[in-house]
Short mmCIF file of all heavy atoms in Angstrom, two decimals:
data_model
loop_
_atom_site.label_atom_id
_atom_site.label_comp_id
_atom_site.label_asym_id
_atom_site.label_seq_id
_atom_site.Cartn_x
_atom_site.Cartn_y
_atom_site.Cartn_z
N ARG A 385 64.57 89.88 86.11
CA ARG A 385 64.73 89.53 84.67
C ARG A 385 63.81 88.36 84.35
O ARG A 385 63.14 88.34 83.30
CB ARG A 385 66.16 89.13 84.38
CG ARG A 385 66.56 88.77 82.97
CD ARG A 385 67.95 88.30 82.87
NE ARG A 385 68.15 87.06 83.55
CZ ARG A 385 69.27 86.80 84.22
NH1 ARG A 385 70.28 87.63 84.32
NH2 ARG A 385 69.43 85.63 84.85
N ASP A 386 63.76 87.36 85.18
CA ASP A 386 62.94 86.20 84.92
C ASP A 386 61.43 86.56 85.02
O ASP A 386 60.62 86.08 84.28
CB ASP A 386 63.25 85.06 85.84
CG ASP A 386 64.53 84.31 85.48
OD1 ASP A 386 64.93 84.49 84.28
OD2 ASP A 386 65.15 83.71 86.36
N TRP A 387 61.07 87.40 86.05
CA TRP A 387 59.72 87.83 86.21
C TRP A 387 59.24 88.57 85.00
O TRP A 387 58.09 88.40 84.54
CB TRP A 387 59.62 88.69 87.47
CG TRP A 387 58.26 89.00 87.92
CD1 TRP A 387 57.05 88.60 87.41
CD2 TRP A 387 57.89 89.88 89.08
NE1 TRP A 387 55.96 89.10 88.10
CE2 TRP A 387 56.48 89.89 89.15
CE3 TRP A 387 58.63 90.52 89.98
CZ2 TRP A 387 55.79 90.63 90.12
CZ3 TRP A 387 57.96 91.29 90.99
CH2 TRP A 387 56.56 91.32 91.01
N LEU A 388 59.99 89.48 84.46
CA LEU A 388 59.54 90.43 83.40
C LEU A 388 59.89 89.97 82.03
O LEU A 388 59.19 90.31 81.08
CB LEU A 388 60.02 91.85 83.70
CG LEU A 388 59.66 92.43 85.04
CD1 LEU A 388 60.08 93.87 85.10
CD2 LEU A 388 58.18 92.38 85.29
N LEU A 389 60.88 89.11 81.88
CA LEU A 389 61.27 88.59 80.53
C LEU A 389 60.86 87.20 80.37
O LEU A 389 60.89 86.68 79.25
CB LEU A 389 62.77 88.80 80.31
CG LEU A 389 63.21 90.32 80.15
CD1 LEU A 389 64.80 90.32 80.01
CD2 LEU A 389 62.58 90.93 78.96
N GLY A 390 60.46 86.51 81.41
CA GLY A 390 60.01 85.12 81.30
C GLY A 390 61.03 84.10 81.65
O GLY A 390 62.24 84.30 81.37
N THR A 391 60.60 83.00 82.29
CA THR A 391 61.49 81.92 82.63
C THR A 391 61.72 81.01 81.38
O THR A 391 60.87 80.97 80.48
CB THR A 391 60.93 81.08 83.77
OG1 THR A 391 59.56 80.77 83.50
CG2 THR A 391 61.05 81.83 85.04
N LYS A 392 62.75 80.23 81.41
CA LYS A 392 63.03 79.30 80.33
C LYS A 392 62.03 78.11 80.38
O LYS A 392 61.58 77.74 81.43
CB LYS A 392 64.47 78.78 80.42
CG LYS A 392 65.56 79.78 80.26
CD LYS A 392 66.92 79.15 80.51
CE LYS A 392 68.01 80.18 80.42
NZ LYS A 392 69.39 79.58 80.67
N ASP A 393 61.77 77.56 79.22
CA ASP A 393 60.85 76.44 79.16
C ASP A 393 61.33 75.28 79.94
O ASP A 393 62.57 74.91 79.91
CB ASP A 393 60.61 76.00 77.71
CG ASP A 393 59.91 77.03 76.85
OD1 ASP A 393 59.20 77.86 77.42
OD2 ASP A 393 60.09 77.05 75.64
N GLY A 394 60.44 74.67 80.79
CA GLY A 394 60.86 73.51 81.55
C GLY A 394 61.58 73.82 82.85
O GLY A 394 62.08 72.85 83.55
N GLU A 395 61.80 75.15 83.14
CA GLU A 395 62.51 75.48 84.37
C GLU A 395 61.66 76.37 85.24
O GLU A 395 60.82 77.08 84.71
CB GLU A 395 63.85 76.20 84.02
CG GLU A 395 64.78 75.28 83.34
CD GLU A 395 66.23 75.94 83.25
OE1 GLU A 395 66.54 76.71 84.15
OE2 GLU A 395 66.98 75.56 82.40
N TYR A 396 61.90 76.34 86.54
CA TYR A 396 61.23 77.29 87.44
C TYR A 396 62.20 77.87 88.41
O TYR A 396 63.36 77.35 88.57
CB TYR A 396 60.03 76.56 88.16
CG TYR A 396 60.19 75.19 88.57
CD1 TYR A 396 60.87 74.80 89.71
CD2 TYR A 396 59.65 74.11 87.75
CE1 TYR A 396 61.04 73.47 90.14
CE2 TYR A 396 59.82 72.77 88.11
CZ TYR A 396 60.43 72.48 89.31
OH TYR A 396 60.57 71.16 89.67
N VAL A 397 61.86 78.95 88.98
CA VAL A 397 62.68 79.72 89.89
C VAL A 397 61.90 79.97 91.18
O VAL A 397 60.72 79.84 91.29
CB VAL A 397 63.15 81.07 89.22
CG1 VAL A 397 63.98 80.83 87.98
CG2 VAL A 397 61.91 81.92 88.88
N SER A 398 62.68 80.38 92.21
CA SER A 398 62.05 80.63 93.50
C SER A 398 61.79 82.09 93.68
O SER A 398 62.68 82.97 93.53
CB SER A 398 63.06 80.21 94.60
OG SER A 398 63.34 78.77 94.51
N MET A 399 60.53 82.37 94.03
CA MET A 399 60.13 83.75 94.32
C MET A 399 59.11 83.67 95.54
O MET A 399 58.32 82.76 95.60
CB MET A 399 59.31 84.41 93.16
CG MET A 399 60.18 84.69 91.97
SD MET A 399 59.16 85.27 90.51
CE MET A 399 58.33 86.68 91.18
N ALA A 400 59.32 84.66 96.44
CA ALA A 400 58.39 84.72 97.57
C ALA A 400 57.24 85.55 97.08
O ALA A 400 57.36 86.78 96.80
CB ALA A 400 59.00 85.36 98.77
N VAL A 401 56.03 84.96 96.95
CA VAL A 401 54.87 85.56 96.36
C VAL A 401 53.66 85.33 97.21
O VAL A 401 53.70 84.58 98.19
CB VAL A 401 54.60 85.07 94.94
CG1 VAL A 401 55.76 85.41 94.00
CG2 VAL A 401 54.38 83.53 94.95
N TYR A 402 52.55 85.97 96.83
CA TYR A 402 51.26 85.91 97.62
C TYR A 402 50.67 84.48 97.49
O TYR A 402 50.35 84.07 96.41
CB TYR A 402 50.34 86.95 97.00
CG TYR A 402 49.12 87.24 97.83
CD1 TYR A 402 49.13 87.98 99.04
CD2 TYR A 402 47.78 86.74 97.44
CE1 TYR A 402 47.99 88.26 99.77
CE2 TYR A 402 46.71 86.98 98.15
CZ TYR A 402 46.78 87.72 99.35
OH TYR A 402 45.64 87.99 100.05
N SER A 403 50.55 83.83 98.60
CA SER A 403 50.07 82.43 98.57
C SER A 403 48.52 82.37 98.24
O SER A 403 47.75 83.14 98.75
CB SER A 403 50.24 81.77 99.93
OG SER A 403 49.67 80.46 100.00
N ASP A 404 48.24 81.45 97.31
CA ASP A 404 46.87 81.18 96.93
C ASP A 404 46.36 79.91 97.62
O ASP A 404 45.30 79.42 97.27
CB ASP A 404 46.75 81.10 95.46
CG ASP A 404 47.53 79.88 94.84
OD1 ASP A 404 48.23 79.19 95.65
OD2 ASP A 404 47.51 79.68 93.63
N GLY A 405 47.10 79.36 98.56
CA GLY A 405 46.71 78.14 99.22
C GLY A 405 47.40 76.90 98.68
O GLY A 405 47.18 75.80 99.21
N SER A 406 48.21 77.05 97.70
CA SER A 406 48.99 75.91 97.11
C SER A 406 49.83 75.24 98.16
O SER A 406 50.35 75.96 99.05
CB SER A 406 49.85 76.35 95.95
OG SER A 406 49.07 76.88 94.88
N TYR A 407 49.93 73.98 98.11
CA TYR A 407 50.74 73.14 99.04
C TYR A 407 50.37 73.40 100.45
O TYR A 407 51.19 73.31 101.38
CB TYR A 407 52.23 73.43 98.80
CG TYR A 407 52.71 73.04 97.38
CD1 TYR A 407 52.78 74.04 96.40
CD2 TYR A 407 52.88 71.73 97.02
CE1 TYR A 407 53.16 73.71 95.09
CE2 TYR A 407 53.30 71.39 95.70
CZ TYR A 407 53.37 72.38 94.76
OH TYR A 407 53.73 72.03 93.47
N ASN A 408 49.05 73.68 100.60
CA ASN A 408 48.51 73.88 102.02
C ASN A 408 49.12 75.03 102.76
O ASN A 408 48.99 75.10 103.99
CB ASN A 408 48.54 72.58 102.83
CG ASN A 408 47.74 71.44 102.28
OD1 ASN A 408 46.64 71.65 101.81
ND2 ASN A 408 48.39 70.24 102.18
N VAL A 409 49.78 75.97 102.06
CA VAL A 409 50.21 77.21 102.70
C VAL A 409 49.09 78.16 102.85
O VAL A 409 48.34 78.38 101.85
CB VAL A 409 51.37 77.79 101.83
CG1 VAL A 409 51.80 79.17 102.45
CG2 VAL A 409 52.54 76.85 101.69
N PRO A 410 48.84 78.74 104.02
CA PRO A 410 47.73 79.58 104.20
C PRO A 410 47.62 80.74 103.21
O PRO A 410 48.72 81.33 102.92
CB PRO A 410 47.90 80.11 105.63
CG PRO A 410 48.74 79.05 106.35
CD PRO A 410 49.62 78.48 105.27
N LYS A 411 46.50 81.04 102.69
CA LYS A 411 46.32 82.10 101.74
C LYS A 411 46.75 83.41 102.42
O LYS A 411 46.50 83.65 103.57
CB LYS A 411 44.89 82.19 101.28
CG LYS A 411 44.44 81.07 100.41
CD LYS A 411 42.96 81.28 99.93
CE LYS A 411 42.53 80.08 99.06
NZ LYS A 411 41.12 80.34 98.57
N GLY A 412 47.46 84.26 101.59
CA GLY A 412 47.78 85.58 102.08
C GLY A 412 49.18 85.78 102.64
O GLY A 412 49.59 86.85 102.88
N LEU A 413 49.89 84.61 102.87
CA LEU A 413 51.23 84.71 103.29
C LEU A 413 52.14 85.11 102.09
O LEU A 413 51.85 84.66 100.96
CB LEU A 413 51.78 83.46 103.88
CG LEU A 413 51.29 83.05 105.31
CD1 LEU A 413 51.91 81.73 105.72
CD2 LEU A 413 51.49 84.10 106.30
N ILE A 414 53.22 85.82 102.29
CA ILE A 414 54.26 85.93 101.25
C ILE A 414 55.23 84.79 101.45
O ILE A 414 55.97 84.78 102.40
CB ILE A 414 54.95 87.35 101.28
CG1 ILE A 414 53.96 88.46 101.03
CG2 ILE A 414 56.08 87.41 100.24
CD1 ILE A 414 53.37 88.50 99.65
N TYR A 415 55.18 83.86 100.57
CA TYR A 415 55.83 82.55 100.80
C TYR A 415 56.65 82.19 99.52
O TYR A 415 56.16 82.38 98.36
CB TYR A 415 54.75 81.54 101.05
CG TYR A 415 55.18 80.18 101.59
CD1 TYR A 415 55.09 80.02 103.01
CD2 TYR A 415 55.64 79.22 100.77
CE1 TYR A 415 55.47 78.82 103.53
CE2 TYR A 415 55.99 77.92 101.37
CZ TYR A 415 55.91 77.73 102.71
OH TYR A 415 56.24 76.56 103.26
N SER A 416 57.83 81.71 99.71
CA SER A 416 58.68 81.32 98.53
C SER A 416 58.17 80.02 97.95
O SER A 416 58.16 78.98 98.71
CB SER A 416 60.16 81.24 98.93
OG SER A 416 60.92 81.06 97.77
N PHE A 417 57.85 80.03 96.71
CA PHE A 417 57.40 78.86 95.96
C PHE A 417 58.26 78.71 94.66
O PHE A 417 58.87 79.70 94.23
CB PHE A 417 55.93 79.03 95.45
CG PHE A 417 54.92 79.00 96.50
CD1 PHE A 417 54.34 80.19 97.00
CD2 PHE A 417 54.40 77.82 96.98
CE1 PHE A 417 53.34 80.18 98.00
CE2 PHE A 417 53.38 77.80 97.97
CZ PHE A 417 52.85 78.99 98.37
N PRO A 418 58.24 77.52 94.08
CA PRO A 418 58.70 77.44 92.71
C PRO A 418 57.70 77.97 91.75
O PRO A 418 56.52 77.71 91.86
CB PRO A 418 58.92 75.90 92.50
CG PRO A 418 57.90 75.30 93.40
CD PRO A 418 57.77 76.23 94.61
N VAL A 419 58.17 78.88 90.84
CA VAL A 419 57.21 79.53 89.95
C VAL A 419 57.78 79.51 88.52
O VAL A 419 59.00 79.35 88.30
CB VAL A 419 56.94 81.05 90.35
CG1 VAL A 419 56.44 81.07 91.72
CG2 VAL A 419 58.18 81.85 90.15
N THR A 420 56.88 79.71 87.51
CA THR A 420 57.26 80.05 86.19
C THR A 420 56.65 81.42 85.89
O THR A 420 55.70 81.83 86.52
CB THR A 420 56.74 79.04 85.20
OG1 THR A 420 55.33 78.92 85.28
CG2 THR A 420 57.37 77.63 85.43
N CYS A 421 57.29 82.10 84.89
CA CYS A 421 56.87 83.48 84.60
C CYS A 421 56.60 83.63 83.08
O CYS A 421 57.42 83.12 82.31
CB CYS A 421 57.87 84.48 85.09
SG CYS A 421 58.28 84.38 86.82
#
Side-chain angles (χ1 to χ4, degrees):
R385 184 185 63 217
D386 286 338
W387 189 4
L388 302 186
L389 291 176
T391 49
K392 296 177 182 178
D393 292 339
E395 294 192 25
Y396 36 84
V397 295
S398 300
M399 290 174 58
V401 297
Y402 192 76
S403 173
D404 62 359
S406 295
Y407 299 99
N408 296 316
V409 175
K411 291 183 180 180
L413 290 181
I414 297 293
Y415 195 95
S416 186
F417 291 99
V419 304
T420 57
C421 302

